[in-house]
Amino acid sequence: MSDTLNLAQALLQRRSITPDDAGCQQQLGDRLAPLGFVSEPMRFGEVDNLWLRRGSEGPLFCFAGHTDVVPTGPEEKWQYPPFSATVADGMLHARGAADMKGSIAAFVTACQRFVAAHPDHRGSIALLITSDEEGPAVDGTVKVIETLQTRAERIDWCLVGEPTSTSRVGDVVKNGRRGSLNGLLRVRGIQGHVAYPHLARNPVHQAAAALAELAAIEWDQGNAHFPPTSFQIANIHAGTGATNVIPGELEVGINFRFSTEQTADGLIQQVETLLERHQLEYSLDWNLSGNPFLTEDGALLEATRTAIEEVTGYRPEVNTAGGTSDGRFIAPTGAQVLELGPLNATIHKLNECVSVADLDTLSRIYQRILEKLLLK
C-alpha cells in the first residue's frame, strides 16, 4: 500500500460528480500544508477550485488537474461499486481512477518526496485543481487563470495529468491539442402536410446539399504537429415524429476539431459564406471551446522526455491527438504546457480502472521532472 495508492483511494471514495468536488480539494490542501504549500480556494459560481503554491519566486512549475468525474452510468453494471476504490489483481477500480484522481495523487506524493529531499529548491511549485473540467468548463481553470493574470502570477511550466498513455504508462505525452469549435445551425422552413408539399418548405431538403458540401470539404492537410482539420455533424433533428408532417425547422449540431492551420473566425466565415450561397433561411450560434495550442521543444518537454526514459527505460511518443483539455486555458498565457498521465483505455467507461504499479511509476516520473527543472 503505497502513499500514492492510499491517497488515490481516499480521493476516489468521494462522490465528486461534476461539478461537485465533494471535499477532495480540502484533503489535498491539508496533505500539502505541512510542506509549506499555501491553499487558496477559489469558488466561482457552483465550482470549487484550488490554487496551492509553495514559494514566491520564479520559475513556477504547476501541476494541473481536476477532481470532478463524469457520471457512473448504471452502478449495478460495475464489477465493483464505482466509489469503493477497490483494488483487485493489481488494478484500482473506481470512477475517476484514470481520469484523473490517480494523477492528482501522484502529483501530491511526488511533491512530498521532492520537497522532503530538496526543501530549498529553486523557484516555486503549484497545483491548480478544478472541479469543472468534465462539465461546462466556464467557472474552473479559465477563471483561476484570469485571477492569476490580474495579479501578474505567471506559470512557466505546466504539466496536466490527463490520461495520455496508450499501452504502457508514459509512452505518450501530449504537447498540444486541436481547437474545438461547435455550432448550432437552425434552418427554417414551412411546416405542412406531406401530401401538399407545394404549400410547405422542407428545411431538410433545403439544407441537404449544403451539409453534404461541408462534409466533403478538405479544410487543410494539417502540419507536422497536427492532423487535418475535421468537420463532423454531431446531432441532427427535424420533424414532429409523425410521418405525414413536413418539418418546419431543421436543427444541426456541428463540430470542428481544427489545427493551427485554421482560426475559429476563418472557419466561421467559410461556413456562413457557404450557407448564404445555398440561400438558406437560417441562424447559427457558435461556441469556441478552445483554440489549438502547441508546446515546442524546450525545457519542459526535454525534462519530461528524459524523466520518462530514466524511470521506465523507454522514450515517449509526443503528439497532439485526442480531445481538448484544460491546457487550452493555460497555454495562451505563454506557459509551456504538456499532458502526461496513466492509460486512457477505460476512461469514461463502466469499470474504469488504473494499474496500482502505474500510479507509483507516474509519481516517480513527476518527481524526476521536478528534479530536472527546480534543482539548482
Side-chain angles (χ1 to χ4, degrees):
M1 293 290 288
S2 70
D3 288 342
T4 304
L5 174 58
N6 284 332
L7 178 56
Q9 285 184 301
L11 295 172
L12 290 164
Q13 287 164 356
R14 295 178 179 269
R15 187 180 286 267
S16 58
I17 297 173
T18 190
D20 188 6
D21 169 70
C24 292
Q25 293 172 18
Q26 179 68 51
Q27 192 170 15
L28 299 175
D30 291 345
R31 185 79 172 245
L32 289 174
L35 296 173
F37 282 82
V38 177
S39 292
E40 184 180 356
M42 297 186 187
R43 185 171 176 85
F44 300 103
E46 298 301 313
V47 175
D48 288 309
N49 306 285
L50 181 64
W51 177 246
L52 276 163
R53 179 166 179 166
R54 183 183 198 270
S56 58
E57 303 297 323
L60 172 56
F61 180 95
C62 176
F63 288 113
H66 60 91
T67 51
D68 60 320
V69 301
V70 295
T72 63
E75 294 195 19
E76 68 276 8
K77 293 187 177 182
W78 283 65
Q79 184 179 5
Y80 304 100
F83 295 101
S84 65
T86 298
V87 176
D89 298 322
M91 303 298 292
L92 173 60
H93 298 259
R95 172 59 84 222
D99 189 13
M100 58 174 288
K101 291 180 181 179
S103 295
I104 291 175
F107 290 166
V108 172
T109 56
C111 288
Q112 287 178 304
R113 293 192 307 274
F114 174 75
V115 171
H118 310 285
D120 298 321
H121 64 81
R122 76 184 184 113
S124 302
I125 307 172
L127 277 74
L128 193 170
I129 308 296
T130 184
S131 62
D132 189 33
E133 198 273 349
E134 299 290 10
V138 296
D139 286 321
T141 299
V142 63
K143 290 289 182 66
V144 175
I145 290 297
E146 289 172 0
T147 301
L148 297 179
Q149 288 183 301
T150 62
R151 61 196 195 197
E153 199 166 353
R154 183 180 180 276
I155 297 170
D156 295 284
W157 304 304
C158 182
L159 193 66
V160 185
E162 287 293 334
T164 60
S165 303
T166 56
S167 300
R168 49 188 180 175
V169 67
D171 63 354
V172 176
V173 173
K174 304 294 184 185
N175 68 328
R177 294 283 189 166
R178 293 175 295 173
S180 179
L181 175 65
N182 296 292
L184 182 60
L185 171 66
R186 294 183 177 90
V187 180
R188 291 179 291 276
I190 298 176
Q191 183 174 304
H193 197 293
V194 296
Y196 302 94
H198 60 288
L199 300 178
R201 189 173 75 241
N202 193 319
V204 178
H205 295 181
Q206 288 189 302
L211 293 176
E213 186 174 343
L214 286 170
I217 291 174
E218 180 183 64
W219 301 91
D220 56 60
Q221 295 184 337
N223 54 38
H225 299 288
F226 290 93
T229 295
S230 69
F231 167 86
Q232 291 294 320
I233 295 173
N235 289 286
I236 189 163
H237 176 75
T240 64
T243 60
N244 60 352
V245 178
I246 294 170
E249 183 177 88
L250 169 68
E251 188 173 277
V252 184
I254 62 176
N255 176 266
F256 284 98
R257 293 300 166 104
F258 62 101
S259 72
T260 48
E261 297 296 306
Q262 301 285 346
T263 66
D265 288 342
L267 291 170
I268 290 171
Q269 182 176 359
Q270 289 180 74
V271 171
E272 293 183 351
T273 297
L274 185 151
L275 295 176
E276 294 291 343
R277 177 161 50 80
H278 282 266
Q279 300 181 330
L280 301 180
E281 185 182 349
Y282 73 93
S283 65
L284 184 49
D285 297 319
W286 294 100
N287 176 47
L288 176 63
S289 295
N291 282 305
F293 71 89
L294 179 70
T295 295
E296 304 266 14
D297 287 346
L300 180 59
L301 185 53
E302 182 55 33
T304 302
R305 278 186 174 131
T306 306
I308 292 171
E309 190 167 18
E310 289 177 356
V311 172
T312 68
Y314 47 81
R315 198 161 177 83
E317 175 188 348
V318 179
N319 66 46
T320 61
T324 59
S325 79
D326 275 4
R328 69 191 189 274
F329 303 127
I330 302 167
T333 68
Q336 295 177 35
V337 179
L338 296 179
E339 300 173 24
L340 170 62
L343 271 64
N344 55 28
T346 63
I347 60 174
H348 292 209
K349 295 183 178 180
L350 297 175
N351 300 317
E352 180 179 352
C353 59
V354 67
S355 162
V356 172
D358 283 357
L359 292 184
D360 290 329
T361 300
L362 195 60
S363 180
R364 293 198 304 273
I365 293 171
Y366 290 158
Q367 179 184 352
R368 196 76 187 102
I369 294 170
L370 289 172
E371 290 167 353
K372 291 187 172 299
L373 292 174
L374 297 182
L375 291 188
K376 299 176 182 178

